């Protein structure tokens, strides 16, 4: 049966809470209200207020509480109501959670759910893509699923992982996509990218909502004889360079697509690694497709112009294919 991206996240949380009594949740409005996006609707009734904890508006405090609980053997799942608010807990995440194992050898099995991204006309304070802020920090794992199956499988893997994992779930995808999710205890290993569409002309490397736009662009370009291979990173850190390399060696052309601003984005690191490690496999320059270095506009018209889409990706792919 097909389910939404949101339902896949709901199922993963429910199953892991049911499976392991050490798993509990903290966040703003996740209990009585069921979460800002209703991901945790019904959890309070099922698991009770000791495992579904409504917190004050203090991200630093409840992330710190989650780190402490993780060090004591629990498996906390902390929800940022919007990923933008993760900045308030930056010190706890970067200087505490990420460094603790390196310093003392102890596991920190903490998951931070971060609803991110635009497309909902939510303005500059509720639409950011902050993954690059944490990509630079050693000691964190970052995942960003683009489909319901990966949303469920990666969240279950993150909860079971002994390391701190930031789970970037795209708000636009919550109710805009559906997909088949395997039955049973479905796990997607952290650190493994996947070729979502095989092709021969250009390797398009993407994640999150931009993966869906890349697949749409591939369908647009097929009648023109441009055959895109679409690689879904799924995990941003650790980065699966083996899958990226295999694809680039096959096509000879690489395009990296993401929704965060181009300046300082993850695409720059991927492009640099391709240039350093795969230069002789390239037949054309590496292309990055990403928004400009500005805040996300509130105006629906301006936001549509700001965000890459299938048409943007297709246009850049035509240019790259013709190089």
């Amino acid at each position: 049966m097909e389910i939404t991206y949101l339902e896949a996240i709901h199922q993963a949380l429910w199953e892991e809470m049911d499976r392991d009594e050490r798993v509990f949740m903290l966040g703003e409005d996740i209990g009585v209200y069921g979460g800002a996006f209703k991901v945790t609707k019904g959890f309070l009734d099922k698991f009770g207020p000791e495992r579904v904890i409504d917190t004050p508006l203090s991200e630093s405090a409840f992330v710190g509480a989650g780190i402490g609980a993780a060090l004591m053997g629990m498996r906390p799942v902390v929800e940022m109501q919007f990923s933008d608010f993760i900045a308030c807990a930056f010190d706890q995440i970067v200087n505490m959670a990420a460094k603790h194992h390196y310093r003392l050898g102890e596991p920190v099995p903490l998951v931070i759910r971060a609803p991110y991204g635009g497309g909902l006309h939510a303005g500059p304070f509720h639409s950011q893509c902050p993954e690059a802020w944490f990509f630079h920090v050693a000691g964190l794992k970052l995942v960003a699923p683009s489909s319901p199956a990966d949303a469920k499988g990666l969240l279950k893997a993150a909860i079971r992982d002994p390391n701190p994992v930031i789970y970037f779930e795209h708000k636009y995808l919550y109710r805009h996509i559906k997909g088949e999710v395997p039955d049973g205890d479905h796990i997607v290993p952290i650190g493994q990218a996947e070729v979502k569409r095989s092709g021969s002309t250009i390797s398009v490397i993407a994640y999150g909502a931009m993966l869906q736009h890349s697949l749409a662009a591939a369908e647009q370009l097929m009648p023109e004889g441009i055959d895109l291979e679409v690689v879904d990173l799924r995990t941003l850190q650790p980065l699966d360079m083996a899958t990226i390399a295999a694809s680039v060696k096959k096509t000879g052309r690489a395009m990296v697509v993401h929704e965060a601003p181009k300046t300082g984005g993850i695409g720059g690191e991927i492009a640099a690694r391709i240039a350093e490690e795969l230069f002789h496999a390239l037949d054309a320059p590496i292309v990055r497709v990403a928004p400009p270095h500005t805040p996300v506009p509130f105006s629906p018209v301006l936001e549509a112009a700001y965000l890459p889409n299938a048409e943007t990706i297709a246009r850049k792919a035509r240019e790259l294919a013709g190089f």
Side-chain angles (χ1 to χ4, degrees), residues 37-291:
F37 302 97
K38 302 304 179 186
V39 172
T40 55
K41 184 178 180 181
F43 278 73
L44 182 62
D45 293 337
K46 167 68 174 178
F47 299 105
E50 292 187 352
R51 296 184 67 196
V52 183
I53 302 172
D54 277 324
T55 66
L57 288 133
S58 181
E59 285 77 11
S60 181
F62 62 73
V63 170
I67 294 169
L71 292 173
M72 295 304 294
M74 303 295 285
R75 291 192 171 263
V77 180
V78 173
E79 180 189 299
M80 295 289 158
Q81 196 169 81
F82 290 83
S83 69
D84 313 64
F85 307 156
I86 204 170
C88 298
F90 196 80
D91 181 55
Q92 294 282 15
I93 297 166
V94 170
N95 289 324
M96 305 302 167
K99 304 293 192 294
H100 200 84
H101 180 73
Y102 182 81
R103 294 176 65 201
L104 298 174
E106 296 174 333
V108 187
L110 168 73
V111 176
I112 300 175
R113 290 180 45 230
Y116 79 118
L120 299 178
H121 319 316
F125 300 108
H126 298 81
S127 306
Q128 295 178 85
C129 296
E131 59 270 20
W133 304 352
F134 301 100
F135 185 74
H136 185 69
V137 179
L140 299 174
K141 292 185 177 183
L142 313 178
V143 299
S146 66
S147 69
D150 289 342
K152 183 173 183 179
L154 281 170
L155 183 50
K156 289 171 75 74
I159 292 170
R160 300 182 191 188
D161 199 285
N163 301 283
V165 181
I166 306 180
Y167 177 89
F168 290 100
E169 52 194 68
H170 203 289
K171 301 191 299 293
Y172 181 81
L173 297 180
Y174 277 150
R175 295 178 174 86
H176 280 86
I177 63 165
K178 287 186 175 182
E180 294 285 343
V181 175
D183 294 329
D185 194 23
H186 173 57
I187 303 289
V188 174
I190 292 175
Q192 292 185 12
E194 182 181 41
V195 176
K196 285 290 199 290
R197 183 187 189 279
S198 182
S200 58
T201 309
I202 298 169
S203 297
V204 178
I205 301 149
Y207 58 92
M210 288 300 118
L211 190 283
Q212 300 297 332
H213 288 298
S214 297
L215 291 172
E219 295 306 309
Q220 286 186 22
L221 292 168
M222 272 301 292
E224 302 175 32
I226 299 173
D227 187 18
L228 301 185
E229 176 150 299
V230 181
V231 179
D232 186 355
L233 289 179
R234 302 198 293 187
T235 298
L236 309 179
Q237 191 66 269
L239 196 61
D240 182 1
M241 277 303 298
T243 298
I244 294 171
S247 180
V248 173
K249 288 176 182 178
K250 175 183 175 183
T251 66
R253 287 173 167 80
M255 174 187 293
V256 189
V257 184
H258 57 69
E259 188 177 326
K262 181 185 288 187
T263 304
I266 289 173
E269 174 67 20
I270 295 170
R273 293 194 194 184
I274 292 172
E276 288 175 351
E277 302 170 18
L278 303 165
F279 181 78
H280 294 291
L282 292 171
D283 296 324
I286 304 162
V287 171
R288 289 182 292 158
V289 180

